[in-house]
Amino acid sequence: MSLRQIIILITVALAVMVVLPGLGRYGAYIVYVVAIASIGALALNLLIGYCGQISFCHGGLLGVGAYAAGNIGNAGQDMVVALVGAGIVTAFVSVMIGLPALRLRGLYFAISTLAAQFILEYLFRLIEPWTHGVSGLLIQPAPFFGLDLSNDRGYAAIAVGLLVMSLIAVSRLLRTDLGRRFILIRDSEIVARGMGVNVARTKLWAFAISGFLAGMSGGLLAFTSRIAAPEAFEIALSVDYVAMIIVGGLGSLPGAVIGAGFVVLLPEVAQRIGETFGAATQTAALREMVFGLLIILFLIHEPRGLNSLASRAVRRLRRTSGPLSNNKRSSASDLEMTQARL
Amino acid sequence: MLKARDVTVRFGGVVAVGGMSIDVHAGEIVGLIGPNGAGKTTFINAVSGTYVPTQGTISWRDEDIVGHSPSRLARIGVGRTFQNVASLNDLTVLDVVKVGRSVHGHSRGLREFLCGSRADDEALTERLLEPLGLADHRHSPLQMLSYGHRKAVDIARALASEPDLLLLDEPVAGVAPAEAFALAGFVKQVRDLLGCAVVMVEHKMDVVMSTCDRVVVMAEGCKIFDGSGEAAQSDAEVRRVYLGD
Ligand SMILES: Nc1ncnc2c1ncn2[C@@H]1O[C@H](COP(=O)(O)OP(=O)(O)OP(=O)(O)O)[C@@H](O)[C@H]1O
Ligand SMILES: [Mg+2]
């Protein structure tokens, strides 16, 4: 990410912060739900989209982060401590889940993550002192750097801030030796090994960093929903996250945010529509089917996701209208035109 | 110094390399030639850690390296190029060269994370990409390059790790003659500069003759000749293997 993109990102974040007080509670809720999911999607995209390790236990990892943050917060710690602690615990669990990747490749590894997902779900019900079993762990509001931000707007500010920091950190990471190795391993593990890359160690770093981000995302989720319960972190959540990064764009940073927004908001919109037509239950049941269908359609027709669709549309608009109007359009109007086209 | 004794690599019933021995000294460029299927690539793979030989010993600077992984070998100065260069999707020329440099061990992760790598890019471009004719392509993804350029990138990548033993598997195959001599000339320059040992597998005899100090000929998995390039061309056994009479 160039300096220009970082500045744009921070400007957008500040703009969100400024309009936050003007948003209603529902608006603030939407902002933080999307931002938290974006952090989780970013974590998964780092692992799948950049390092090529397909994982179906991301929902379970978010759960680990949620329980860890909840326990640390309930012990009277600051939310910052709880989130970092959740990141560290989840990074550790993620590395454990990643160990089979040293032996297994592709779909075989993906199946081992499926097993990990079910083991985690089982543990969430089993380890009652930490998880309170099926009834779930209630989580007390915690101060953030000593401030009381336990309301929708506060959460939105924290989540957007954390998302921006994560985006910048991951984009910088991708421009280090480690990040380049991730991409090399995704493109060809055999070539990477032949070139002298320590594939095993590189993969474990990918799991650790992805796990850290997933843990923070899960932790925030726990604080905002005030409860961590096993049914919230089931396989369906893992599938949702895979859908996010496929729809948004594998190996694309904006794609993680676009995908998260899409997958989180689509059910909201569907529910609204369902309510107006008095068929809320039917549309809710359609949800998973629609996501499954979307994954397949995107994999076949647009493997690089909405992000590449959007940038291609922008490029085409530039080209067709280029000779007619030489004046530079602002990127804001470009975006509007793209949306109009979509 | 590289010392291989009686190296044998089997794939099931196929004996790809059977009892190969070779010594390569620092500062020497050895041409490894032989007909197709002679086992040259397999031998390179055994030395660079891609395959573990079924039999025999390989030592590098008096250290037994049989069973070492390629990453461990890279750290003790063994670098290699590939006969078939990969067409990677997203990585640019500079990215690949930086991966090559990083395998030598000194990590610059945190510094790059905090400060970026622009100054670094310029140094690498000047030192490696300029002489290999890749400077203009440094930000191009590998898949956009011609085959010849991808071969050159692979050499730049291997050189970036500053190897003391450089294993080149057909570095100029499929490259236009003029460029082939330029590439070979650069390998020679690097040898003069770093004093590294080079093993170069190559079919183009004129390149071998002008670049290598010594020639080793392989046929059906073993060494049949070891000596000067001129002597190899007049050797009866070598002529028999190549001309099939
Ligand atoms: N992975 C493998 N599995 C089975 N057989 C192999 C494998 N690699 C090489 N061989 C066999 O080993 C023999 C030597 O192959 P190798 O690639 O080393 O030859 P080469 O001298 O490099 O030939 P060329 O000049 O065509 O590159 C060949 O008969 C080949 O079919
Ligand atoms: Mg070969």
Side-chain angles (χ1 to χ4, degrees), chain A residues 313-325 329 341:
Chain A
V314 169
R315 237 177 292 138
R316 193 173 312 152
L317 281 172
R318 281 225 178 97
R319 213 179 310 132
T320 49
S321 59
L324 298 175
S325 59
R329 251 193 317 275
R341 187 94 167 213

Side-chain angles (χ1 to χ4, degrees), chain B residues 222-237:
Chain B
C222 23
K223 182 165 80 176
I224 59 163
F225 178 87
D226 190 336
S228 75
E230 291 79 31
Q233 286 185 319
S234 54
D235 186 83
E237 175 75 359

Side-chain angles (χ1 to χ4, degrees), chain A residues 168-170 172-173 175-178 180-181 183-184 186-188 190-191 193-198 201 304, chain B residues 49-50 70-71 74 80 82 86 88-91 95-96 98-99 102-103 108-109 112-116 157:
Chain A
I168 293 174
V170 170
R172 299 214 64 121
L173 169 74
R175 275 167 178 60
T176 65
D177 284 337
L178 189 62
R180 289 187 280 266
R181 287 170 181 212
I183 295 168
L184 184 61
R186 176 196 67 192
D187 284 353
S188 171
I190 295 170
V191 168
R193 189 180 129 81
M195 285 182 180
V197 170
N198 189 330
R201 199 197 303 165
R304 296 229 138 183
Chain B
T50 308
S71 71
R80 69 159 306 171
F82 297 93
L88 302 165
N89 294 329
D90 291 345
L91 292 174
D95 286 335
V96 172
K98 284 177 184 165
V99 168
S102 74
V103 300
R108 57 198 80 218
E112 265 193 322
F113 184 78
L114 297 174
C115 318
R157 190 215 89 237

Side-chain angles (χ1 to χ4, degrees), chain A residues 16 50 61 93 109 191 237 287 294 331 339:
Chain A
V16 171
Y50 288 102
L61 277 184
V93 174
F109 173 70
V191 168
L237 189 65
R287 185 172 181 269
L294 275 174
S331 57
Q339 282 161 347

Side-chain angles (χ1 to χ4, degrees), chain A residues 60-72 74 89 93 119-139 222 226-233:
Chain A
L61 277 184
L62 293 174
V64 172
Y67 285 113
N71 279 298
I72 299 171
N74 284 355
V89 170
V93 174
I119 292 171
L120 285 176
E121 284 179 23
Y122 176 70
L123 289 178
F124 293 157
R125 291 185 166 84
L126 188 77
I127 317 179
E128 294 214 358
W130 290 345
T131 65
H132 290 235
V134 281
S135 56
L137 173 73
L138 293 178
I139 294 158
R226 309 225 161 142
I227 185 168
E231 72 265 16
F233 305 108

